[in-house]
Each structure stands twice: as structure tokens, then as C-alpha cells.
Amino acid sequence: MSDSPLPPPPAAGLSDVDIWPLTGLRVTCGDLELRAPDDRMLLDVARLAAQGVHAPDYMPFLVPWTRGTPVQVARSVMTYQWGLRQRTTPADWAIELAVVRDGQPLGMQGLYAKDFLVTRTAETGSWLGLRHQHGGIGTRMRLLVLHLLFEGLDARHATSSAFVDNPGSSGVSRKIGYRPNGVLHQARENGPVDSQLFVLDRADWDARRDELRLDVTIEGLAPVREQLGMV
């Protein structure tokens, strides 16, 4: 009997991108980048959220995940993000990318779709740490994710929504060229609230103003397209 070691199984040669293509996705413009957070960065994202995402007397989210102690908020971020990882299939995907500058997360930019291969429509949603707001980052991160959606994933429509008392989010949508698309009546923290719905079609995206045409690069797109069934 030989004492030589057995050859490693073929799986040992699998790269991180082979296993989970989102690990290689990068959407970049200047000093700003969108990328899927690993657990190390996710801990920093959770710390950022624990430091505040909005004023205490306001709630911009339907699910009030920002309520609670700093530890409770941070843990809510972790458990929610871990849960999203199982929802990355061609039929139903929820992709949340960290907004990163100089290696540090500033917030999260999400992209969500069901039956995308049929509808070619996805919803965007996002948040920024309180200290990073009102500096133009919200518009840039939306433009980056729309570039990924329209130029990288061949979308025909992008949708978004904002509570009517959240003019900042609505302002970003209107600035980019979204059109109003109805109103949704909802319950927020046991009270009624209206959400303004918006839609941006491919023609709207192509017709955007010159100052909204950023120099964006996408890395690692092909494996993500394969993971989402776009072959």
C-alpha cells in the first residue's frame, strides 16, 4: 500500500466566484464602489447602522429595523443580510450591495426582482449612514445600481418608492428621470402612510441628462448573469 497522499478532490479548485459569483461583482465610479459584503464587511455595515440611519422621530422604512438599541439594530442587519443570501435564484432575487469608499461602507444599495427573466423589472432600495447623507452620494449610488441593472442585466424597467414624507428619496428619483407610477396606501408603525411609486423605463434611462451619465465600470458580471439565469 502506498503512503503517498491522495490527490485533492476536484472541489478544492473552486474559487470564491465559482461558489458564489456575487463575491466578484464590482460596480465602480471614481471613489465610489458597490460590492457584495462578505461577513467581515457586513459587521462594519452593522456598526454603521447602529450609529444611526435617520432622525429618531422619523421612520423611512416599512419594517422598523432601525428601532432598538445599537446592538439590536446591528444584529437585525446581520440576520437580514444572511437571510437574503438564500434568495438569489433566477426566479426571485434580492441583491444588496455595500456602498464603499476608501474601503469603508457608507450604506447599502439593494436590487430586488421576481420573475426578472420575464418582466425585466427590478425594484431598488437603499440606505446611508446618517453622517454620509446630504452629500450627493445617494444620487451616485442609485446611478451605479441603475447602470448595473440596465447596462449589465438588460432590464427594461426600474421601480422605486418612497413615503410621501421622505422628500430626499423622492428627489433622487425625480432628478434621475423616474416618473410617478401611482400611490400605495400602507401601515407604518401602526399608522397610515402613503408611498409614492416611481418607474424608470429603458427609454428614460437612455434619455437622462449628461450630468447623470457617469463613467461606470462593472467587474465580475458574467458569473452573476449565469447565477441569475441570464445565459
Side-chain angles (χ1 to χ4, degrees), residues 55-166:
D57 60 349
Y58 181 66
M59 175 49 64
F61 308 114
L62 202 60
V63 176
W65 62 271
T66 50
R67 298 288 190 217
T69 67
V71 167
Q72 288 171 331
V73 171
R75 288 179 180 171
S76 291
V77 171
M78 299 299 292
T79 54
Y80 174 72
Q81 291 294 328
W82 284 330
L84 287 185
R85 292 175 182 175
Q86 65 181 329
R87 190 181 154 193
T88 312
T89 69
D92 182 3
W93 42 267
I95 297 170
E96 294 214 351
L97 305 173
V99 183
V100 180
R101 183 173 62 192
D102 298 327
Q104 298 300 314
L106 312 181
M108 296 293 288
Q109 176 66 67
L111 197 56
Y112 320 95
K114 290 188 177 182
D115 299 314
F116 180 80
L117 298 177
V118 177
T119 68
R120 293 292 173 173
T121 301
E123 176 94 359
T124 64
S126 64
W127 62 266
L128 276 171
L130 198 56
R131 68 179 184 271
H132 302 299
Q133 297 175 16
H134 309 299
I137 295 172
T139 300
R140 291 179 64 202
M141 59 197 266
R142 182 86 69 89
L143 288 168
L144 261 65
V145 81
L146 289 172
H147 187 96
L148 171 63
L149 183 60
F150 285 115
E151 309 297 341
L153 302 179
D154 306 321
R156 290 196 293 265
H157 317 280
T159 60
S160 187
S161 65
F163 293 137
V164 293
D165 56 6
N166 186 358

Side-chain angles (χ1 to χ4, degrees), residues 185-215:
H185 308 294
Q186 297 177 291
R188 176 183 60 180
E189 295 193 303
N190 299 317
V193 66
D194 288 346
S195 286
Q196 176 65 61
L197 308 181
F198 295 96
V199 62
L200 183 76
D201 295 334
R202 177 67 200 233
D204 303 321
W205 171 250
D206 290 340
R208 69 194 185 280
R209 303 190 308 274
D210 287 344
E211 60 266 30
L212 299 174
R213 297 177 181 274
L214 305 183
D215 184 13

Side-chain angles (χ1 to χ4, degrees), residues 17-86:
V17 171
D18 289 331
I19 297 170
W20 198 249
L22 282 170
T23 61
L25 182 66
R26 300 287 186 273
V27 186
T28 307
C29 175
D31 64 348
L32 208 63
E33 179 183 74
L34 303 182
R35 69 178 191 237
D38 58 15
D39 279 354
R40 178 71 267 163
M41 178 168 285
L42 201 53
L43 288 165
D44 290 336
V45 170
R47 292 186 184 96
L48 175 68
Q51 295 167 24
V53 176
H54 55 79
D57 60 349
Y58 181 66
M59 175 49 64
F61 308 114
L62 202 60
V63 176
W65 62 271
T66 50
R67 298 288 190 217
T69 67
V71 167
Q72 288 171 331
V73 171
R75 288 179 180 171
S76 291
V77 171
M78 299 299 292
T79 54
Y80 174 72
Q81 291 294 328
W82 284 330
L84 287 185
R85 292 175 182 175
Q86 65 181 329

